[in-house]
Amino acid sequence: MNTPRTLVWFSAGAASAIAAKLTIAQNPPNLVIAYTDPGSEHPDNERFLTDCEKWFGHPIIRLKSKKYADTWAVFEHGYLVSPYGAMCTAELKKKVRRDFQLPDDIHVFGYTSEEQHRADRFREQNIEVDLRTPLIEYGLTKDDCLAMIQRAGIELPAMYKLGYRNNNCIGCVKGGMGYWNKIRKDFPDTFDRMAQVERKLNISILRSESQSVFLDELDPTRGNHADEPSFECSLLCTIAEEDIELSTNTDY
């Protein structure tokens, strides 16, 4: 009988990196760490993946859609965002994951303690998936994970250092007005390109009081996006780090 894979889904974010490290500390058989590359993330993410591979002592498998090169290719087919979610996530993340996974895989996701509701919803919508959430089990927040990455001596991905709370694609259609005004400042070419896509498709990604707001109409003062990430490490960080240390200490 084959041993099921323990499949850690790495997203190039701090939370999934800590989830991977905690899983490695448990020394599960048949461990696989996989990253679904949407093609539109900051180029510094490849550096972060390489740094994490060294820290993990374990390779990260790169997976990519065979149909779409990046988010812009999805958008060009008329797909932006709807009340049911973003098509780029479905095509470049979810479909790629489903094509790679096996029926008996154990799945590890980097849901943080603030995201218990997301983990619960995932379980409800994917009852066939054996989901593990080590960050929730340790009570670790997103800020805890950011601090733990820094304490491990790993440089945070560029998007975090620019003040973004998530290391998503540059120009995420799920972002709000404050996010897009920050993109306007940090990545003006991306802002202009998305504004042109909106007009070409006659679809806006932002709404205000149930009214569509196109990017080329967005007031530069609208929204509120922090310019700097604020985070500190809690006592729970120390507990998790001690468990990681114990697992790699040959004296134990």
Side-chain angles (χ1 to χ4, degrees):
M1 183 175 180
N2 293 330
T3 303
R5 298 186 302 183
T6 295
L7 186 49
V8 180
W9 291 104
F10 184 85
S11 67
S16 65
I18 298 301
K21 189 66 173 177
L22 287 169
T23 302
I24 292 167
Q26 297 169 0
N27 196 29
N30 209 1
L31 173 66
V32 176
I33 304 175
Y35 163 65
T36 54
D37 179 7
S40 296
E41 295 180 343
H42 196 288
D44 181 59
N45 279 7
E46 181 56 38
R47 187 273 312 162
F48 183 67
L49 262 71
T50 301
D51 287 351
C52 284
E53 284 181 315
K54 295 175 183 175
W55 187 43
F56 297 159
H58 195 285
I60 300 172
I61 295 175
R62 276 73 161 171
L63 306 174
K64 196 167 176 58
S65 169
K66 295 180 174 63
K67 184 176 181 180
Y68 298 105
D70 54 23
T71 57
W72 299 104
V74 177
F75 302 154
E76 288 168 4
H77 281 75
Y79 304 125
L80 287 179
V81 67
S82 77
Y84 305 102
M87 186 60 70
C88 47
T89 299
E91 288 290 340
L92 303 177
K93 293 281 190 179
K94 293 180 180 178
K95 189 176 187 304
V96 174
R97 171 174 63 82
R98 288 170 180 158
D99 288 345
F100 181 74
Q101 70 187 29
L102 300 174
D104 62 348
D105 283 336
I106 298 168
H107 296 257
V108 179
F109 280 20
Y111 290 121
T112 60
S113 61
E114 308 101 321
E115 299 176 309
Q116 179 72 63
H117 63 289
R118 291 185 62 200
D120 292 342
R121 185 167 68 246
F122 182 91
R123 287 189 172 97
E124 291 171 0
Q125 297 175 349
N126 302 270
I127 58 174
E128 76 285 358
V129 174
D130 184 353
L131 175 65
R132 308 294 169 85
T133 54
L135 303 181
I136 292 176
E137 292 170 13
Y138 275 91
L140 296 175
T141 66
K142 183 174 294 185
D143 285 350
D144 288 334
C145 295
L146 287 165
M148 290 173 71
I149 289 294
Q150 287 196 314
R151 281 231 296 254
I154 297 175
E155 182 181 353
L156 290 173
M159 294 297 279
Y160 288 129
K161 292 192 291 182
L162 284 170
Y164 294 91
R165 296 296 294 164
N166 296 289
N167 191 23
N168 294 340
C169 295
I170 300 175
C172 178
V173 294
K174 292 178 283 188
M177 292 184 182
Y179 168 85
W180 275 101
N181 271 326
K182 185 164 173 54
I183 290 291
R184 188 204 303 258
K185 180 182 71 174
D186 296 334
F187 303 98
D189 290 346
T190 298
F191 183 92
D192 291 343
R193 185 176 183 181
M194 182 61 75
Q196 292 170 15
V197 169
E198 283 189 326
R199 288 301 183 183
K200 178 181 178 180
L201 300 176
N202 195 30
I203 301 171
S204 68
I205 57 178
L206 300 176
R207 299 186 72 79
S208 176
E209 298 178 352
S210 301
Q211 298 296 316
S212 297
V213 178
F214 284 85
L215 288 176
D216 58 15
E217 300 173 333
L218 177 62
D219 183 336
T221 66
R222 292 292 299 273
N224 181 22
H225 195 288
D227 288 333
E228 297 291 339
S230 61
F231 48 86
E232 60 183 18
C233 210
S234 71
L235 175 63
L236 296 171
C237 290
T238 303
I239 295 172
E241 288 169 335
E242 286 176 350
D243 284 353
I244 291 171
E245 183 66 24
L246 283 172
S247 73
T248 56
N249 192 327
T250 55
D251 292 336
Y252 288 83

